[in-house]
Amino acid sequence: MPTLLFIVGPPGAASIHDLLTCLAKFDEDVSLEATPQFLRISSLNISKTTHAAFTLNSSFFDRYHFSPGPAQPQPQPKIWTCKIQNRALLAIFRRRLGDQRDRDRDTGLETCECELQANADQAECRLIFRLNCRQGVVKTYRLFYESAEILHAAFDRVGSTNYWSVSSRTLRDVVEYFGPKTDQLDWYFQNGKVTFTSYTEKIQSGKEILKQPMHTSVALERKDFDDFNVQEGLHIGTMVKDFRAIVAHAEAMRVQVTARYSRGNRPMQITYEENGLLAEFTLMTRGTTNLPIPSSGSRGTPARDLSMRPVSRPPESQTATATATVAADSFATAARPSATDASMPPPARTSMRHGESAASTLAKPNSTESTLAPAGSMNPNSLFIPADDDDLQWDAPNFEEEPDIVTWDNTADDGSALSSTRRVRDSALHSWASMQEQERRASRVARTEMEIPHEIAPTQRLSQVRGIFD
Amino acid sequence: MRFKGQIKNVNLFAKFCASLASLGQIAWCRLNDDDVQFTIIPDKGSQVWSVLKPETVFETYILQSASPKNTINLEVPIQALSRALKSAYGSTSAQIRLTKKDNVPMLSLTIVTNTFSSGNNLVAAPTTTTRIGAESGEFDFNDDVPDVSFIGGHGGGPRERETVITQDIPVKVLSMEVVERIHQPRTQEPDVNIYLPPLAQIKTISDRFTRVAVATTKGSSATSPRLELSANMHGSLKISVKTDALNITSRWTGLINPELDPAHLPDGSQGVREHPSTIMKELGGPNGENEAGWSKVRIDAKDWSRVLSVGRVSAKVIACFINESGLILYVYLPNDDNGSEDESCLTVSSTL
C-alpha cells in the first residue's frame, strides 16, 4: 500500500491556499498525484480546454515522503492518484491560515501534516490533514477521496517556438483594463507592439448593442518583456476568465511568467516557478485572425484548421470544416482529433476509457464561478465620515445585503480576552471584506470558541465593583 | 459625422460619468459647438440634466455634422463610459472619438500611460497627435492598427514603459426627430434655496438613517423607506427618518441661502420681492424657527443615496425645495484653472 506523508509550515500552507483558490476557478475537483519526487495538484476544466497543474517538489515541503508500497506481482505504476473536492481542501487551507499576522494568535498554525491512510486491512481509506497549532491545539481533518485516472495535458515544448516572458505585475496591469463581462482574449505582436484585446463574440443588435461589454485593447512595448520571441502578426486567442485566474495567482507570487505556443488552435502553455512550486497551465487557443480587425462587408467564419490534420490540406476543405478544435486533441489520453465549436465547447468526445470520468465531471454543475466584488472600503456601520478621498464611498450601498447590526465593541477595554472576540484589527483591516470573508471569520470565531472552554466574560472589572460591597 | 476630443481633465470627467452611472444605464449625450449635455431619464427615480462646457474636460474638441451647430446625439451606456474613463486615471494622454467598427458606432477612447519601472525623474512629454483621420466616409474610421505617429512619444527613457489602451464603447446615434421630443421638465419656482453642507456628511447620515429604517421595519413592508428633507430660508436643513419604532433627525444650521439675482427673473426686483422664497423667509419669523417657514419633501431613500453619488465630483450644490412636490439639486462642477464664468452644471431633479 502506498504511503504518503508531507509537512508544510505556515508559508507553505498559505501557498497551498493560493493555488487551490486558483484551481477553483477551473473546476470544482482537484486531482492529486504523488510520486517519490513530487506532489502534483491539478484541475481540468469541464470543457477540457484548460489544464492547470501545480507541481510541488520536495523543496516546497518541510518534509516529503512517498513510497508506492511493496512490489506487486504485476508491475504497478509508481504513483498514487486521487480526486478530491476542492471545497473540502479549501475548508482546511483557509485564507490567512499561514498568515504572519496571525502567528501571535494563541492558536496560530505551526505545521500542517498530511498523511495517507490506505491500509489493506482497513475498510476505509482517508487522507488525513493535521494542523498543529500553538498551545497544543491540533485540528484533524479526515477526507474521503476517490481514486481516479488523471488526464494530463500534453504539450509540445519543442514545437512551440513562440515564447515571451514578462513580470506578473505587467500582466496584472493589462488585465485590470479589461471590461468585467468580456470573455475572449486575443493577443498578437506587430510593429514592436504586443496588443492584448478583450472582447465578446456575442453579436447584439438594436437596443441590446449598448449592453455589449467594452472592447478593450492594451498595447505594450516589446521592451516590457524580458524575453521575447514571437512571430509577427500571429494572433492567439484564449479565454479572459482563464487568463485572469492565472494572472491573479502569478501576481500573488510575484513571479516571472512565461508563455509558449506555436500557433492558434494549438495548445499554449503558461508557466512560472518559485520556491519548489511549478505552475503549468495548458490552454487551448484559437487562431483569431479575423478579430479584432473589422473587415469590410461579409466576414464569414475564417478557416480554422484542425490541429491534427496535415498542413498540406487543400484550403477548400479547411473552410468546409470551419470550426476550431478546442479541446480534446490537446490532451494525450484523448488524442483523437475532434472538431468542436469554438465559441461554446461541448464536453469533448473522449475515448471510451475516459468516458466515465468525463461523465462524472459533467454530472456536477460547475459552480466555480466566483464573482465576488469587493464592497466599498468604507465601513458600512460607521457613523463617522470617512477622511480619505475614496471614490467608492459614493456608490449607493446595498441596504438589503448588508444588514445593519449594532453591536457593543468590548474589545477596547478588554485587552486580556483576545481570543474570545474578533479583534479590532480584523474589522479595521477587512472592512471591505466580501461575504466570503465574513463567513470565514465567523467560522473562525466559532472554531476558537469550540477549542477554548467558553467563559462568560465579566461585564465589569472587579476593581470597579470593589468599594461598593466591602 | 465626426467627433474627436483630447481629454484634459480625465479625473473630473470620470467622476462626472460615475455619478451619472449610478442613476441610470443609458445616457443621452448631445454634443454641439457650445456644450456637451448628458441626460438620464430613468423609468423611475431622479432625472439628471447636465451641461458641460467643452473646455472643462476637453483640451481639443472637434465636431462635425450635418445638423445645426454640428450637433451629434448619442445614446451612451454610461457605466461603460465611466469604467473606460477610470482606466485613464493617471494617463499621459486620453483621446475620445466617434468611430465605426463592423458597422457599429463606437466611442473609442485611446489612452496612453507611461509608467516608470524605477524611480528616475524623467518627465513624460505628452504625446501629440498629428494625424488627421481619413476624410472620406461618414465616420472617422479606425483601421485598428496602432498608429505609429500617435503612439510615438517624445520623452522616452530606457526605463519608461508606455502602454496604449483602447476602450471601445458601442453607442447608438440618435436622429434629431427622436430627441426633439425630450424636454427638461418645467417646475414651479422653489420655496427654499439653500447651499447644502458637504455631501459626504449628508450621504453618510442619510445612508445610516436608511439602514436603521430598513432594520426596524423589516418584514412589515417591502417598500423602500423614505427620508424627510426640509429646509428654511434661515440657513437650516433637516434630514429625518420616521418609522413606527423611532424618529431621528439631523439638523444643520448656519448654511447659506443663495441670493436671487433680479436679472434672472422676468420681473426684476419686483420678482424677487414676490418670489416664493422671499415669502418663505418672512414666514420663518425673526429667528426662522416658525414651522411655516420650512419647506418639506419626502424622498425615496435609495434613490436619494444614488443621487448623492454626485458628491464624488466635490462640487458645490444648491438644493431647491418645492414644498411637498419636488427637490432639485444644482451641482456646479469645480471651476477649471481659468475660473470661467460659465460654470458647468448638473441638475438632478427628484419629482415626487
Side-chain angles (χ1 to χ4, degrees):
Chain A
M1 281 292 109
T3 54
L4 168 70
L5 175 78
F6 67 78
I7 300 174
V8 289
S15 338
I16 292 179
H17 163 82
D18 289 349
L19 70 87
L20 288 173
T21 318
C22 178
L23 290 176
K25 290 168 186 163
F26 296 98
D27 191 33
E28 61 181 13
D29 289 334
V30 293
S31 307
L32 299 183
E33 287 165 81
T35 72
Q37 289 78 36
F38 60 80
L39 175 75
R40 181 181 288 141
I41 308 177
S42 61
S43 282
L44 174 62
N45 74 352
I46 197 159
S47 52
K48 294 190 179 6
T49 54
T50 309
H51 182 258
F54 292 93
T55 308
L56 312 174
N57 66 26
S58 51
S59 67
F60 177 85
F61 301 99
D62 292 354
R63 196 174 148 223
Y64 181 80
H65 170 76
F66 175 78
S67 68
Q72 302 282 312
Q74 201 180 3
Q76 264 197 326
K78 284 188 186 293
I79 103 168
W80 170 82
T81 61
C82 82
K83 206 168 224 186
I84 208 159
Q85 278 209 333
N86 198 338
R87 215 171 35 184
L89 283 175
L90 269 173
I92 302 168
F93 293 95
R94 286 200 184 89
R95 194 160 170 223
R96 294 182 61 207
L97 176 69
D99 198 318
Q100 294 292 330
R101 282 174 300 179
D102 269 14
R103 290 179 82 181
D104 55 335
R105 222 180 47 182
D106 290 357
T107 52
L109 179 75
E110 284 185 330
T111 57
C112 169
E113 288 172 37
C114 173
E115 195 185 345
L116 174 67
Q117 200 174 68
N119 291 324
D121 52 341
Q122 276 181 307
E124 288 179 330
C125 297
R126 294 277 200 286
L127 206 52
I128 298 174
F129 289 89
R130 203 170 290 123
L131 306 183
N132 299 314
C133 304
R134 300 199 172 192
Q135 316 281 14
V137 175
V138 180
K139 297 168 203 162
T140 310
Y141 300 85
R142 291 159 193 274
L143 298 189
F144 286 107
Y145 60 84
E146 59 181 294
S147 59
E149 265 186 90
I150 289 166
L151 294 173
H152 274 214
F155 182 71
D156 176 14
R157 214 181 163 107
V158 180
S160 302
T161 48
N162 296 299
Y163 62 87
W164 47 256
S165 176
V166 70
S167 78
S168 60
R169 173 53 58 93
T170 310
L171 288 182
R172 201 227 29 199
D173 288 349
V174 170
V175 169
E176 270 188 349
Y177 291 117
F178 293 164
K181 284 180 192 136
T182 49
D183 55 359
Q184 305 288 328
L185 172 68
D186 170 87
W187 75 70
Y188 68 97
F189 169 63
Q190 199 130 44
N191 301 331
K193 287 265 165 190
V194 183
T195 306
F196 290 79
T197 307
S198 88
Y199 62 97
T200 305
E201 219 175 31
K202 208 165 32 170
I203 308 280
Q204 277 157 329
S205 55
K207 192 88 181 166
E208 294 292 295
I209 195 105
L210 297 180
K211 289 189 182 149
Q212 189 169 328
M214 280 187 289
H215 176 119
T216 307
S217 62
V218 182
L220 298 172
E221 284 174 285
R222 185 187 164 148
K223 65 181 177 196
D224 295 339
F225 293 80
D226 299 289
D227 205 358
F228 195 85
N229 178 21
V230 169
Q231 185 193 331
E232 190 142 351
L234 176 70
H235 281 260
I236 291 291
T238 178
M239 305 300 288
V240 170
K241 187 169 144 279
D242 295 347
F243 193 68
R244 268 214 176 101
I246 296 166
V247 171
H249 183 259
E251 173 60 9
M253 288 180 58
R254 295 277 164 84
V255 284
Q256 202 62 22
V257 180
T258 306
R260 288 174 193 280
Y261 52 95
S262 51
R263 59 189 167 89
N265 302 333
R266 297 283 294 150
M268 171 187 71
Q269 195 165 59
I270 298 179
T271 55
Y272 48 89
E273 185 171 16
E274 199 175 63
N275 295 334
L277 185 152
L278 167 70
E280 290 169 301
F281 300 90
T282 312
L283 313 162
M284 202 50 211
T285 64
R286 305 198 303 155
T288 45
T289 40
N290 60 322
L291 296 153
I293 296 172
S295 56
S296 49
S298 69
R299 191 166 70 185
T301 321
R304 294 170 177 152
D305 51 342
L306 295 175
S307 57
M308 296 309 247
R309 301 272 172 86
V311 205
S312 58
R313 238 160 13 109
E316 300 92 277
S317 72
Q318 287 188 6
T319 15
T321 55
T323 44
T325 323
V326 180
D329 56 346
S330 65
F331 297 101
T333 43
R336 196 162 58 88
S338 63
T340 52
D341 193 310
S343 57
M344 203 186 75
R349 279 165 254 160
T350 50
S351 55
M352 283 308 285
R353 199 153 65 93
H354 295 98
E356 266 179 49
S357 70
S360 67
T361 331
L362 262 178
K364 293 162 197 152
N366 192 350
S367 62
T368 52
E369 294 258 330
S370 69
T371 49
L372 288 167
S377 67
M378 187 176 64
N379 185 348
N381 290 323
S382 167
L383 188 58
F384 300 105
I385 291 142
D388 60 334
D389 181 34
D390 197 328
D391 211 34
L392 282 169
Q393 59 162 302
W394 296 107
D395 293 330
N398 191 338
F399 295 108
E400 275 80 23
E401 301 268 307
E402 305 158 17
D404 188 65
I405 305 161
V406 182
T407 50
W408 295 113
D409 185 8
N410 58 357
T411 47
D413 61 340
D414 193 6
S416 58
L418 272 178
S419 58
S420 63
T421 47
R422 76 181 152 150
R423 301 168 68 185
V424 188
R425 198 183 53 197
D426 277 0
S427 50
L429 277 172
H430 295 276
S431 53
W432 48 269
S434 59
M435 292 304 279
Q436 197 182 34
E437 178 81 1
Q438 284 169 359
E439 249 175 57
R440 181 194 60 80
R441 194 191 302 151
S443 68
R444 195 181 62 202
V445 172
R447 200 186 65 228
T448 29
E449 274 170 5
M450 281 194 314
E451 283 153 14
I452 294 174
H454 190 70
E455 287 178 353
I456 298 166
T459 52
Q460 256 179 313
R461 282 161 202 243
L462 275 178
S463 57
Q464 294 172 318
V465 185
R466 222 160 263 155
I468 302 172
F469 296 108
D470 57 13
Chain B
M1 196 178 283
R2 208 165 140 208
F3 162 56
K4 190 165 169 181
Q6 186 76 24
I7 303 172
K8 70 171 175 190
N9 201 341
V10 165
N11 289 17
L12 178 66
F13 196 24
K15 284 182 175 178
F16 169 80
C17 288
S19 47
L20 295 183
S22 59
L23 286 166
Q25 305 269 339
I26 307 284
W28 163 38
C29 170
R30 198 190 79 181
L31 305 154
N32 68 24
D33 288 340
D34 304 332
D35 49 35
V36 180
Q37 294 188 8
F38 280 93
T39 301
I40 293 182
I41 307 176
D43 294 339
K44 63 181 191 122
S46 302
Q47 298 187 358
V48 190
W49 295 78
S50 58
V51 183
L52 283 176
K53 290 285 147 196
E55 59 269 22
T56 314
V57 289
F58 292 110
E59 186 86 57
T60 60
Y61 181 74
I62 301 162
L63 210 57
Q64 219 174 65
S65 86
S67 313
K69 287 206 255 180
N70 290 319
T71 305
I72 298 177
N73 286 291
L74 300 174
E75 222 174 349
V76 180
I78 191 74
Q79 271 148 354
L81 178 61
S82 146
R83 202 173 289 122
L85 286 167
K86 254 183 206 161
S87 63
Y89 274 3
S91 62
T92 314
S93 128
Q95 191 197 47
I96 192 164
R97 62 193 180 130
L98 186 64
T99 172
K100 209 170 196 181
K101 281 182 189 171
D102 286 347
N103 260 334
V104 176
M106 300 261 183
L107 272 180
S108 180
L109 189 67
T110 309
I111 302 155
V112 182
T113 63
N114 292 70
T115 41
F116 300 98
S117 23
S118 77
N120 61 19
N121 290 326
L122 262 179
V123 177
T127 53
T128 48
T129 54
T130 49
R131 192 180 70 114
I132 301 297
E135 296 293 330
S136 60
E138 199 195 357
F139 279 84
D140 191 2
F141 273 93
N142 180 6
D143 49 6
D144 220 300
V145 176
D147 190 307
V148 181
S149 71
F150 174 61
I151 296 157
H154 302 304
R159 289 160 191 274
E160 187 185 8
R161 219 176 87 193
E162 186 178 87
T163 310
V164 181
I165 303 125
T166 320
Q167 303 273 26
D168 291 336
I169 305 138
V171 294
K172 258 170 87 175
V173 178
L174 299 174
S175 65
M176 274 304 209
E177 299 82 70
V178 175
V179 297
E180 253 168 12
R181 293 194 300 274
I182 314 175
H183 291 291
Q184 186 156 1
R186 290 185 64 84
T187 54
Q188 62 194 83
E189 285 297 315
D191 300 310
V192 168
N193 302 314
I194 194 163
Y195 275 109
L196 291 184
L199 289 197
Q201 291 179 16
I202 296 199
K203 172 134 170 103
T204 318
I205 286 167
S206 301
D207 286 351
R208 181 73 190 177
F209 282 8
T210 309
R211 275 171 206 287
V212 170
V214 168
T216 52
T217 58
K218 202 145 258 178
S220 61
S221 64
T223 54
S224 159
R226 284 183 167 256
L227 298 177
E228 191 180 283
L229 265 71
S230 48
N232 65 15
M233 286 300 290
H234 296 263
S236 291
L237 169 79
K238 280 197 286 197
I239 298 180
S240 42
V241 65
K242 258 184 220 159
T243 70
D244 294 344
L246 52 87
N247 180 359
I248 328 171
T249 303
S250 273
R251 179 171 174 176
W252 283 264
T253 53
L255 304 173
I256 295 163
N257 298 101
E259 293 285 328
L260 290 171
D261 185 355
H264 283 102
L265 292 172
D267 305 337
S269 52
Q270 175 69 19
V272 172
R273 277 193 296 279
E274 287 170 6
H275 193 269
S277 64
T278 316
I279 298 160
M280 282 302 264
K281 187 163 188 166
E282 285 157 15
L283 285 174
N287 55 2
E289 287 306 308
N290 277 354
E291 200 51 44
W294 288 85
S295 180
K296 193 165 37 170
V297 288
R298 279 164 58 76
I299 51 177
D300 183 293
K302 287 173 189 174
D303 188 35
W304 176 240
S305 182
R306 288 192 287 270
V307 167
L308 287 176
S309 156
V310 78
R312 68 182 93 216
V313 297
S314 59
K316 56 176 179 176
V317 182
I318 298 177
C320 296
F321 285 74
I322 305 162
N323 198 22
E324 304 283 2
S325 68
L327 177 69
I328 304 162
L329 300 186
Y330 291 93
V331 181
Y332 296 92
L333 295 188
N335 265 343
D336 58 349
D337 310 333
N338 313 323
S340 65
E341 282 299 297
D342 305 317
E343 283 172 301
S344 299
C345 174
L346 201 133
T347 316
V348 187
S349 49
S350 311
T351 319
L352 304 177

